[in-house]
Amino acid sequence: MSRFIQVSGACALALLGAPPVSAASDAELAEIQAQIQQLKQSYEARIEALDRRLQEAEARSAKAPAPAASPAAATVAAAPAATPAAVSASNSAFNPAIYAVLQGAYINQSKDPDKYAIAGFVPSGDIGPGKRGFSIAESELGFSANVDHKFFGNLILALTPDNNVEVEEAYGVFTALPGGVTPKFGRFLSSVGYLNDQHQHAWDFYDAPLVYQAFFGGQFRNDGLQVKWLAPTDTYLQFGAEVGDGSSFPGSERSNGRNGIGGGALHAHVGGDIDVSNSWRAGLSWLTLRPNERTHTEIDRNGNPAQLEFSGRSQVAIADFVWKYAPNGNAKETYFKLQGEYFWRKERGNLRYDSDGALGLTNTARNTSRQNGFYVQGVYQFMPEWRVGARYDHLDPGRVDYGGNAAYLGASSFNPKRYSLMFDYTPSEFSRFRIQYQQSKLQPDFTDNILFVQYILTLGAHGAHSY
């Protein structure tokens, strides 16, 4: 030990007495500091480059609402300008993403489903709960792909329980426009409101809210053109406009031989993150249509089923809001979602009573109506894969002026309402099993208690659902 101390002391004295060595250490320190500074600058430059690449990728993703495209499709999309012949021969054209959604249900109703109707509102189509007992519900078959470097195509077929096939959506999207502008053309679910452009299997309850059933007959669909613009801001801000044939309820098919546009819509949505756990979205929508000779049957004051025919203008305004809470942003564990929508509809035009002449009392008079309704619902995932939810629906028949037909027709003062509770189990994003109990008071002295048991199975490449 004493020898070690002696050697250490000698070394220390040698260092203290060696000024050239100290000067060399300062230079070395300066060199190291310079290298650190260069390294920092290099990393900052690389981080900035990665940020730019991330922003560009997010912008491209926002412009292309396509579900996951096949690798071949992505290759085509990223390729430089190709000739039409080359595009038509691309793998994307022959290898689209394909998926199927299989659904089935067991339904128990306390009332006859054939008597399902909403008092005070024009019948909007087949909106009943469905067949009693076991049945397959509406299934879905979808095909999508990048057509070439500028277009994306999507086809969704609805397979009904009575073995019919319906084109639910068939549209193209032009993906090459800059500045966040995205045109869509063909047949598509309108983006008015919050729930309208979501497919049925993505809903949190088995059936649509009452306002959707009463005002749209389920969902509003357009054959036409839609343009959306996503503003380049930190806050989510999107504007959209649509024009179409307006044949979906509350519109109707246009008269034969007429040109022009049957309806249009405007919508705007804003949203963002409050903090890491909370996010929100709100919107306003306006829809205008020109129903022509839209017919339905209604029981008149004398108890006779009378056929009515309406021609005029129908306008619908919607306010929607959704708030989501997920602790620390981890929605896989637990989350809560609160959403609601308010609908208001005004119709003005001519109403023909006994339009088929069956009662011998055919009469045409001015008709106006203002009606509204809303729903609010909450869904809570209390542990991974398990959720509970509750929904309340309310309709107000408002004011209906039958004018010269008031002697035959009477307005309703009854407020239809509905209460729903659901409990579901979602083992993965490809399967869900749900139980829903519902009490519907849609007519005076008519209360229907309904139990739904539902399954949803998804096969293939299905894209993510919207917020």
Side-chain angles (χ1 to χ4, degrees):
M1 178 64 74
S2 62
R3 186 177 180 183
F4 173 76
I5 294 174
Q6 291 173 0
V7 171
S8 301
C11 291
L13 290 172
L15 291 172
L16 290 173
V21 173
S22 175
S25 297
D26 292 341
E28 186 179 2
L29 289 174
E31 182 182 355
I32 292 173
Q33 289 174 349
Q35 290 178 357
I36 291 175
Q37 186 64 25
Q38 291 175 358
L39 196 61
K40 288 173 63 179
Q41 293 174 352
S42 173
Y43 271 102
E44 287 174 354
R46 292 175 63 183
I47 290 173
E48 289 179 359
L50 288 173
D51 281 341
R52 285 195 298 271
R53 289 179 59 188
L54 177 61
Q55 292 173 3
E56 291 171 358
E58 290 177 341
R60 288 196 299 270
S61 177
K63 286 198 304 180
S70 65
T75 302
V76 172
T83 64
V87 167
S88 63
S90 68
N91 290 334
S92 173
F94 300 101
N95 188 26
I98 302 174
Y99 75 89
V101 179
L102 309 180
Q103 295 193 75
Y106 172 81
I107 302 175
N108 187 296
Q109 289 183 257
S110 62
K111 298 292 185 182
D112 185 351
D114 292 337
K115 296 182 179 179
Y116 191 91
I118 303 176
F121 286 80
V122 174
S124 54
D126 184 14
I127 56 173
K131 175 185 173 184
R132 275 174 159 169
F134 288 102
S135 67
I136 58 170
E138 184 177 282
S139 296
E140 189 176 293
L141 184 62
F143 306 84
S144 62
N146 287 322
V147 179
D148 54 27
H149 59 295
K150 291 186 177 180
F151 291 95
F152 166 81
N154 192 23
L155 169 65
I156 298 176
L157 304 175
L159 312 177
T160 64
D162 50 358
N163 300 321
N164 289 320
V165 179
E166 179 182 342
V167 178
E168 187 163 317
E169 290 192 284
Y171 60 80
V173 179
F174 185 52
T175 60
L177 282 183
V181 178
T182 307
K184 179 191 291 186
F185 50 90
R187 174 174 293 181
F188 51 87
L189 294 171
S190 171
S191 294
V192 295
Y194 172 69
L195 207 59
N196 191 74
D197 61 1
Q198 296 184 21
H199 287 227
Q200 185 262 345
H201 65 268
W203 298 345
D204 293 319
F205 290 80
Y206 176 82
D207 50 0
L210 263 185
V211 284
Y212 276 92
Q213 294 183 345
F215 289 79
F216 286 163
Q219 289 175 285
F220 182 76
R221 196 165 50 195
N222 234 339
D223 286 5
L225 171 67
Q226 178 194 74
V227 178
K228 287 183 177 179
W229 176 59
L230 182 64
T233 59
D234 292 336
T235 300
Y236 173 80
L237 186 60
Q238 187 179 66
F239 299 93
E242 302 171 11
V243 292
D245 66 340
S247 61
S248 185
F249 185 87
S252 69
E253 294 288 348
R254 296 173 61 78
S255 297
N256 293 333
R258 294 187 62 183
N259 295 314
I261 296 171
L266 297 172
H267 37 84
H269 290 95
V270 60
D273 295 332
I274 300 173
D275 54 34
V276 69
S277 301
N278 296 274
S279 61
W280 65 281
R281 199 194 85 161
L284 292 173
S285 306
W286 177 72
L287 174 67
T288 180
L289 300 163
R290 293 180 177 276
N292 181 62
E293 299 179 353
R294 187 187 70 199
T295 60
H296 73 278
T297 301
E298 190 170 315
I299 304 299
D300 65 10
R301 289 183 182 275
N302 297 318
N304 299 315
Q307 181 170 296
L308 309 180
E309 185 180 281
F310 176 81
S311 297
R313 171 165 291 188
S314 180
Q315 300 176 80
V316 180
I318 306 172
D320 65 86
F321 178 78
V322 58
W323 167 62
K324 295 182 179 181
Y325 169 73
N328 299 315
N330 184 8
K332 290 186 177 179
E333 295 294 325
T334 61
Y335 72 83
F336 176 75
K337 179 169 73 170
L338 177 69
Q339 75 181 62
E341 294 183 75
Y342 173 80
F343 280 53
W344 176 89
R345 181 173 69 195
K346 175 184 176 182
E347 292 197 328
R348 177 178 294 177
N350 293 321
L351 182 69
R352 177 174 295 176
Y353 169 77
D354 187 27
S355 59
D356 59 355
L359 304 176
L361 299 170
T362 302
N363 183 60
T364 302
R366 294 293 292 173
N367 173 259
T368 59
S369 65
R370 292 179 176 81
Q371 301 178 305
N372 64 84
F374 72 90
Y375 80 92
V376 60
Q377 69 180 51
V379 173
Y380 176 50
Q381 178 173 293
F382 55 93
M383 61 185 294
E385 304 176 359
W386 297 90
R387 309 188 310 165
V388 294
R391 182 179 67 189
Y392 174 68
D393 296 273
H394 182 94
L395 294 177
D396 184 348
R399 294 179 296 170
V400 180
D401 183 1
Y402 288 111
N405 287 320
Y408 308 112
L409 302 170
S412 173
S413 59
F414 177 77
N415 294 112
K417 55 182 69 69
R418 193 169 66 182
Y419 309 89
S420 306
L421 294 172
M422 78 86 184
F423 177 74
D424 67 23
Y425 168 57
T426 308
S428 72
E429 62 269 37
F430 301 106
S431 63
R432 172 167 289 168
F433 299 86
R434 174 182 292 141
I435 296 176
Q436 179 174 323
Y437 170 74
Q438 191 163 281
Q439 184 177 82
S440 302
K441 299 181 178 180
L442 306 184
Q443 305 170 51
D445 303 323
F446 185 92
T447 300
D448 193 9
N449 298 299
I450 311 174
L451 175 68
F452 301 94
V453 181
Q454 178 192 18
Y455 68 82
I456 304 171
L457 302 177
T458 303
L459 298 75
H462 188 284
H465 295 123
S466 58
Y467 175 82

